[in-house]
């Protein structure tokens, strides 16, 4: 029900590594680091290495072939136990292989288990983006505007999308002593996410991030392509200038795309991360929170992280 795959170079020579099932109390309440109750399906597993990880190892933990696990497959995740706080934190979860295992790259010893965090919002009950929003929320990527409402029609801000991207890529928040942007202080809710994304995904304007500004569609596409480049280490390609021009030429408002965004917009369209509205891209228009959830969900699929 569990296995750990280790590649050459992960540890120094003579490192001892173990994967052991953990005995646990069945009456203990299982919660995450935000106090949300979790459904624990499988046994917990202790990964213990006598040396630090130089490379990630791949941990796979199985789950039962029955509901609610099979019907909520994309919402499952591998969680790590915090022995000091008695809580569990989402660590990762690739579930797109039909073998009833959840996978995650891990970089440290610890206790891990497969769990389900069921998140739903009252304003998403019959919404077209319900599944995508609930998958992202269950993985800790998307948050509601309140504990009960997601606000799907609300305008997406630059800070909100930055958090979505960083969390989707499993980039942990960074809290440097000095801020990168003058208008995002350590007291701002987005500080750690913006700082984490500052290394390649987001850029400011004259030292300002303008996190509360609406995110335009062309800005979103630029950030998406940068995110793929950060994750894969490979520069995104829209398959040559001819195909780039072909992708954009079919939209009547392609001349309205900023010059600095054209290649990224074409790459996002070509890779089907974003689609226009008929013959229009509306590059300067803002996006809604529901549209952002759909796009981040597609990004996870593109990167094989679902």
């Amino acid at each position: 029900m569990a296995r750990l795959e280790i590649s050459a170079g992960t540890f120094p020579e003579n490192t001892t590594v173990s994967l052991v099932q953990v005995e646990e109390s069945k009456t203990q309440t299982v919660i995450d680091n935000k106090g949300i109750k979790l459904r624990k399906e499988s046994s917990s597993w202790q990964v213990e290495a006598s040396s630090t990880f130089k490379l990630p190892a791949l941990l796979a933990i199985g789950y039962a072939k029955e509901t609610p696990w099979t019907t909520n497959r994309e919402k499952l995740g591998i969680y790590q136990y915090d022995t000091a706080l008695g809580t569990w934190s989402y660590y990762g979860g690739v579930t797109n292989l039909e073998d009833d295992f959840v996978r995650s790259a891990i970089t440290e010893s610890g206790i891990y288990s497969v769990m389900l965090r069921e998140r739903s919002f009252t304003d998403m009950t019959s919404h077209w983006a319900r599944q995508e929003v609930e998958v992202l929320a269950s993985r800790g990527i998307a948050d509601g505007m309140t504990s009960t409402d997601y606000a799907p029609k609300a305008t997406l801000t630059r800070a909100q999308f930055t958090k979505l991207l960083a969390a989707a890529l499993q980039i942990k928040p960074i809290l440097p002593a000095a801020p990168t942007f003058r208008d995002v202080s350590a007291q701002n809710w987005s500080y750690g996410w913006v700082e984490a994304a500052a290394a390649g995904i987001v850029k400011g304007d004259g030292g300002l991030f303008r996190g509360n500004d609406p995110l335009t569609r062309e800005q979103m596409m630029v950030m998406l392509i940068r995110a793929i480049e950060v994750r894969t280490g490979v520069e995104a390609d829209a398959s040559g200038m001819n195909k780039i021009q072909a992708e954009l030429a079919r939209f009547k408002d392609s001349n309205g795309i900023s010059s600095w965004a054209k290649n990224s917009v074409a790459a996002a369209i070509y890779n089907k991360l974003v689609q226009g509205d008929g013959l229009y891209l509306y590059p300067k228009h803002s996006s809604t929170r529901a549209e952002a959830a759909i796009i981040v969900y597609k990004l996870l699929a593109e990167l094989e992280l679902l």
Side-chain angles (χ1 to χ4, degrees), residues 141 143-145 150-166 183-184 188-191 193-194 197 201-203 209-217 219-221 223 285-293 296:
I141 296 170
D143 298 312
M145 293 299 285
Y150 180 72
K153 295 181 180 179
T155 300
L156 180 73
T157 69
R158 287 169 52 82
Q160 288 171 353
F161 193 65
T162 298
K163 190 269 180 182
L164 281 175
L165 275 185
D183 57 348
V184 186
N188 190 298
W189 71 266
S190 66
Y191 180 65
W193 299 108
V194 171
I201 297 177
V202 300
K203 294 181 180 179
F209 180 65
R210 306 185 192 281
N212 293 327
D213 286 1
L215 183 76
T216 66
R217 287 171 56 81
Q219 289 172 347
M220 179 172 59
M221 287 182 261
M223 290 173 65
H285 285 203
S286 59
S287 296
T288 66
R289 286 168 50 81
E291 290 168 342
V296 172

Side-chain angles (χ1 to χ4, degrees), residues 114-133:
V114 168
M115 298 194 187
L116 170 62
R117 175 167 46 197
E118 295 182 286
R119 297 285 284 125
S120 60
F121 302 98
T122 56
D123 56 356
M124 295 298 297
T125 304
S126 57
H127 197 278
W128 47 267
R130 175 181 176 178
Q131 173 66 12
E132 290 82 358
V133 167

Side-chain angles (χ1 to χ4, degrees), residues 1-13:
M1 290 300 293
R3 61 177 179 267
L4 186 67
E5 299 177 16
I6 303 168
S7 60
T10 302
F11 298 109
E13 291 184 6

